Amino acid sequence: MGNRNELGIGQHQLGLSIFSASPRFVDRDGVVEPVVDLDLGLDHGLSEDEFKLACEILDRTPSYTELGIFSAMWSEHCSYKSSKFYLRQFPTTGEQVLIGPGENAGAVDVGDGLAVIFKMESHNHPSFIEPYQGAATGVGGILRDVFTMGARPIANLNALRFGTPNTAHMKYLIRRVTQGIGDYGNCVGIPTVGGEVFFDSAYQGNILVNAMTVGLAKADQIFLGQASGPGNAVMYVGSKTGRDGIHGATMASEEFSEESEEKRPTVQVGDPFTEKLLLEALMELFPTGKIIGIQDMGAAGLTSSSFEMAGRAGSGLDLDLGKVPTREAHMSSYEIMLSESQERMLLVCLPDDVAAIRAVFEKWDLEAEVVGVVTDTGRVRITSPEGELVADMPAAPLADQAPMYERPWSEPAQFAIDRATDVRGYGFKSSVTESLKRLLQSPNIASKRWFYRQYDHTVRTDTVAGPGSEAALVRIKGTDKAIAITTDCNPRLVKLDPYQGGAMAVAEAARNIACTGAKPLAITDCLNFGSPENPEVMWQFKESIRGMSDACRALDTPVISGNVSFYNETNGSAVLPTPAVGMVGLLADRSVYATNVLAESGLSLFLLGAPTAGLGGSEFLDTEHGLTTGALTPIDLDLERRLLDVLQSLVSNGLVRHARDCSEGGLAVTLAEMCFGPHRIGLDVDLQADGSVAETLFGEGPSRVVVAVAAEDEERFQASCGNVPWMKLGRSGGQRCVIKINGKGMVDEPIDALASLWQDAIPNVME
């Protein structure tokens, strides 16, 4: 052991900082590394069977570097070994789909020779351990996934889940995550145009940070992550490699405990200014046609990029780690291969193009080195900085033949209990008005301006509708079109009924897109769950996938990219099942779209879609009674599809001027929020209803949208609704929010007073 200190190589330098075992060491020609055995394999996160399979694939015991590669590539985060069995249910094709799952991001056709490329990914564990860098590098990583395919990013979004903001530590996490997102996006110059924030005590020990990026590319100039062409050069470009982020993928595949703070060294450190240089260098190079294949060094760094590029092309690679630019001395092969340092790419080019490519990166003050060559062997051979062959492995078994598990599942007993719980009798603590006020101040309903005011959503001058809209709208320069983008998921609904909740997440995203007048095209997802080794979690996962798949088929919104994040739990306590949906749509004429707040008096207000909803899983039950229970209002996917089609037509024909999805908080909250625009226009409605007051005002269910129509267009509107139900509610005007049921007054409050409660709730908690 003394020899290790003489060589200046400690456990951290060997990449052992997150492991508990005390392995034996061996000196191989002056390089000290642990002796690989089953115990070390187990400590790397491999099961006994997986370690044995690795030995069978190699027909020998792996070297230390090879063990690290197996550990990363077969981690849950990289291999999807517990989810692949169910992910196959997703529809992934359609007329609009250019590229589906399996690449850095997915792509859809938006006409005019253009493609929209987008993806959502998680950075949950890093953000809980080190919130600023965790969130920042989450943004940086998803940006690279998009621009590595030749697309210039045009928008960022985020989907955040926090615990109850009543402790100093949770407020610290909220502040630092928000700052990390804002600083990275702002520095790179990409607008953050939308997203969502949800609070629940289930996230107290494990917050969720999901990042989404949307980019625009020429449809015939999309670049793939493939290492093709034996003899072609493999180039490392971007920033230098350091020791940050080693075993980040493995850490993301474990649950948290009291020792999680010790994993801080596995969190990457981002540099948005370098990312901006890398983006512009690639935007300069892509049109030249000199790049054959390219991939971001994301989770598992050089390991995943090299093996996946070779695996997709059916080729092999010879890599010389002595050529990899490093920013720390004496980095081992293990560390270089597993580092998750940010702002790095691996690309393949013709040998004759190396000098030209290097010149572009040098112009942008970035590293660009030839570190290998493409071969036809189907193997990845890795030479250490000292010139020793430290890995010789087949590419395919690591890239796409990882173990796949159909893990046991069981329906929780609580599922039947919740469905059988009658919540119709729950009423008001004091008055309807006071309940409305408390709901408007609930962090899940209150204005999220505190968050998005820290993001630049107007940079690049293409944002037509930004944060706070039903869906963001970003124009496509040189056309009349705009891209509509949103993220959605109500985790409480998924907890109570994963099938219905999963379908509703897709449907709500599509509804928000359609509320602008845009046509939903496709989704990306970020599937956040607890441990897949828990049968009840696996049941939640499988049922959510089934619900999402059915909704995607019914609404013609295939899944073109996504991410699975398991092990989101601390000491065995899992987060709410959270299958976040990111959706993109197309607005054919950006000069005609609907906003979600009232801009004038005298408009007729209608409820379009399902006429009723129940209290099961509602924000009302949680805020007023501290309950998350009850049967959900079932989703009718046929009605949902008809509603989307009618809504798009009504907006594009100019009949609907304003539209707002009726979701959290129910109809009363939706009506109040429509008054909170810059013009502070009030309303007077009389709801014709048979149900209880609580259900009528605060019931939540799918397929419901409140729309505003010019009085002179009422008859045309009604005739154009076809077989989608509608209900006349009242009119806009005045300075008060007046809500009646069957002629009886329920709410009569000044708009300014209600708006102040809604706007100030989160700042009051945070500041």
Side-chain angles (χ1 to χ4, degrees):
M1 297 295 286
N3 190 33
R4 290 170 55 226
N5 292 329
E6 291 169 17
L7 289 170
I9 302 176
Q11 279 198 3
H12 177 69
Q13 291 170 295
L14 285 166
L16 294 173
S17 59
I18 69 169
F19 299 126
S20 59
S22 298
R24 294 175 292 116
F25 288 85
V26 63
D27 187 330
R28 300 186 189 278
D29 297 326
V31 177
V32 176
E33 63 179 36
V35 174
V36 175
D37 55 18
L38 175 59
D39 286 340
L40 191 60
L42 295 174
D43 221 25
H44 272 68
L46 296 176
S47 68
E48 182 174 350
D49 287 342
E50 288 169 350
F51 182 79
K52 290 178 179 178
L53 178 59
C55 294
E56 290 174 8
I57 288 172
L58 298 179
D59 197 25
R60 56 177 168 78
T61 302
S63 70
Y64 181 51
T65 299
E66 289 171 333
L67 178 63
I69 290 170
F70 272 112
S71 170
M73 293 299 292
W74 287 2
S75 69
E76 192 70 59
H77 188 76
C78 289
S79 73
Y80 297 100
K81 58 190 176 186
S82 298
S83 59
K84 283 189 292 188
F85 179 83
Y86 297 104
L87 295 178
R88 295 180 297 189
Q89 298 178 44
F90 279 147
T92 59
T93 60
E95 291 184 4
Q96 68 274 43
V97 177
L98 296 175
I99 296 174
E103 273 293 339
N104 289 295
V108 293
D109 189 347
V110 292
D112 297 311
L114 298 173
V116 169
I117 296 176
F118 63 100
K119 189 180 183 183
M120 179 189 288
E121 281 210 345
S122 63
H123 231 225
N124 303 332
H125 283 42
S127 298
F128 185 78
I129 294 172
E130 211 307 296
Y132 182 87
Q133 291 295 347
T137 53
V139 174
I142 197 63
L143 279 167
R144 291 193 302 280
D145 278 342
V146 168
F147 71 71
T148 192
M149 296 185 70
R152 179 172 286 279
I154 60 172
N156 286 335
L157 295 89
N158 51 76
L160 312 177
R161 320 286 168 182
F162 296 111
T164 307
N166 58 2
T167 67
H169 184 63
M170 187 53 61
K171 291 178 184 179
Y172 160 77
L173 292 175
I174 294 170
R175 288 192 186 96
R176 295 297 284 167
V177 164
T178 306
Q179 290 168 0
I181 291 170
D183 286 357
Y184 205 101
N186 295 353
C187 288
V188 180
I190 309 300
T192 301
V193 298
E196 55 177 336
V197 187
F198 186 87
F199 301 86
D200 191 277
S201 60
Y203 303 102
Q204 212 73 25
N206 197 132
I207 63 174
L208 303 183
V209 176
N210 298 171
M212 178 178 175
T213 291
V214 179
L216 196 63
K218 292 183 178 179
D220 60 354
Q221 293 184 23
I222 297 175
F223 293 81
L224 305 180
Q226 298 184 4
S228 57
N232 284 335
V234 179
M235 294 189 72
Y236 170 116
V237 300
S239 187
K240 291 183 178 181
T241 293
R243 290 191 171 98
D244 54 318
I246 293 174
H247 274 295
T250 308
M251 180 267 291
S253 305
E254 300 172 340
E255 65 177 273
F256 280 150
S257 66
E258 287 84 355
E259 289 76 40
S260 293
E261 280 293 309
E262 298 175 8
K263 299 179 181 179
R264 193 176 296 271
T266 64
V267 178
Q268 310 95 321
V269 177
D271 180 354
F273 298 104
T274 299
E275 180 110 339
K276 174 65 172 175
L277 298 177
L278 182 58
L279 166 63
E280 296 305 332
L282 289 174
M283 289 298 112
E284 181 176 334
L285 271 172
F286 283 133
T288 68
K290 297 183 184 300
I291 295 177
I292 294 173
I294 183 169
Q295 178 151 329
D296 170 44
M297 292 189 208
L302 184 54
T303 288
S304 61
S305 55
S306 57
F307 277 85
E308 289 174 3
M309 290 182 77
R312 292 190 190 107
S315 65
L317 297 177
D318 285 351
L319 297 177
D320 181 355
L321 300 189
K323 302 292 181 61
V324 173
T326 58
R327 62 171 182 260
E328 298 184 49
H330 308 299
M331 288 190 69
S332 68
S333 301
Y334 182 102
E335 293 174 317
I336 293 171
M337 288 302 297
L338 295 179
S339 168
E340 294 185 12
S341 294
Q342 296 290 284
E343 296 87 38
R344 304 177 302 156
M345 301 269 187
L346 199 66
L347 66 82
V348 173
C349 66
L350 295 173
D352 290 345
D353 290 333
V354 167
I357 290 174
R358 181 180 283 127
V360 171
F361 283 103
E362 287 178 350
K363 166 189 167 184
W364 291 97
D365 199 22
L366 295 167
E367 302 290 335
E369 297 293 339
V370 175
V371 296
V373 62
V374 179
T375 69
D376 60 2
T377 64
R379 302 181 72 82
V380 177
R381 291 166 48 89
I382 301 169
T383 304
S384 73
E386 295 77 23
E388 179 187 2
L389 183 67
V390 292
D392 185 352
M393 313 168 72
L398 280 94
D400 53 23
Q401 297 175 28
M404 182 172 72
Y405 300 118
E406 186 180 356
R407 295 198 183 272
W409 56 265
S410 64
E411 179 183 299
Q414 188 63 38
F415 174 59
I417 295 171
D418 285 327
R419 282 202 303 179
T421 301
D422 188 353
V423 296
R424 291 173 296 177
Y426 284 92
F428 305 95
K429 288 183 176 180
S430 50
S431 68
V432 173
T433 298
E434 291 305 309
S435 289
L436 175 60
K437 289 179 178 179
R438 281 190 288 270
L439 281 167
L440 291 174
Q441 294 175 87
S442 162
N444 289 330
I445 290 176
S447 169
K448 305 306 185 294
R449 185 176 180 273
W450 183 89
F451 292 90
Y452 64 73
R453 72 178 181 181
Q454 300 180 56
Y455 312 145
D456 189 339
H457 56 270
T458 60
V459 64
R460 297 186 58 81
T461 70
D462 291 328
T463 306
V464 177
S469 305
E470 294 302 278
L473 294 173
V474 181
R475 68 171 175 156
I476 303 177
K477 287 178 178 175
T479 75
D480 295 328
K481 300 173 181 177
I483 303 300
I485 323 164
T486 188
T487 64
D488 285 289
C489 178
N490 186 327
R492 288 189 187 134
L493 305 186
V494 185
K495 175 182 181 292
L496 292 174
D497 188 332
Y499 174 81
Q500 296 282 344
M504 289 176 184
V506 174
E508 183 177 356
R511 230 169 19 252
N512 284 329
I513 295 286
C515 278
T516 68
K519 175 181 175 58
L521 292 178
I523 76 165
T524 182
D525 60 55
C526 205
L527 309 175
N528 308 271
F529 289 80
S531 169
E533 298 164 51
N534 180 336
E536 294 187 357
V537 169
M538 277 313 299
W539 177 81
Q540 292 175 333
F541 183 81
K542 109 179 161 59
E543 287 297 288
S544 296
I545 296 295
R546 189 167 68 89
M548 294 173 69
S549 298
D550 284 352
C552 286
R553 288 188 179 90
L555 306 181
D556 189 23
T557 54
V559 182
I560 66 165
S561 62
N563 170 243
V564 178
S565 176
F566 277 132
Y567 295 100
N568 290 290
E569 56 182 65
T570 299
N571 295 326
S573 179
V575 300
L576 297 179
T578 311
V581 171
M583 185 175 285
V584 162
L586 181 64
L587 184 67
D589 182 356
R590 68 171 185 266
S591 68
V592 182
Y593 66 94
T595 65
N596 65 349
V597 290
L598 298 170
E600 59 185 296
S601 299
L603 298 178
S604 298
L605 304 177
F606 291 86
L607 177 64
L608 188 60
T612 60
L615 291 176
S618 64
E619 189 71 27
F620 172 83
L621 272 186
D622 180 76
T623 299
E624 294 294 272
H625 302 284
L627 296 173
T628 298
T629 190
L632 305 185
T633 305
I635 187 168
D636 180 342
L637 290 172
D638 180 63
L639 171 60
E640 193 73 50
R641 179 59 187 260
R642 287 183 277 124
L643 172 62
L644 298 180
D645 292 343
V646 164
L647 194 53
Q648 293 165 54
S649 176
L650 290 170
V651 174
S652 62
N653 290 330
L655 291 177
V656 164
R657 301 189 181 186
H658 311 292
R660 194 175 194 103
D661 175 35
C662 188
S663 53
E664 287 90 345
L667 186 54
V669 166
T670 302
L671 291 168
E673 289 178 328
M674 290 188 78
C675 301
F676 297 161
H679 302 286
R680 288 290 195 269
I681 304 295
L683 52 77
D684 190 330
V685 303
D686 191 350
L687 312 177
Q688 306 304 304
D690 298 326
S692 72
V693 172
E695 286 181 311
T696 300
L697 295 180
F698 303 116
E700 297 178 18
S703 315
R704 288 153 55 91
V705 176
V706 176
V707 299
V709 178
E712 62 271 21
D713 290 333
E714 273 196 42
E715 290 187 7
R716 286 178 58 212
F717 165 81
Q718 294 168 7
S720 300
C721 288
N723 56 359
V724 174
W726 56 266
M727 181 189 303
K728 177 74 177 291
L729 301 178
R731 290 191 180 278
S732 66
Q735 301 296 309
R736 304 181 72 83
C737 178
V738 179
I739 301 176
K740 300 183 284 287
I741 297 180
N742 300 327
K744 183 178 180 181
M746 295 292 158
V747 176
D748 188 348
E749 287 290 309
I751 292 301
D752 286 344
L754 295 178
S756 293
L757 295 174
W758 177 76
Q759 286 181 334
D760 296 342
I762 289 178
N764 286 344
V765 169
M766 294 301 302
E767 298 173 1

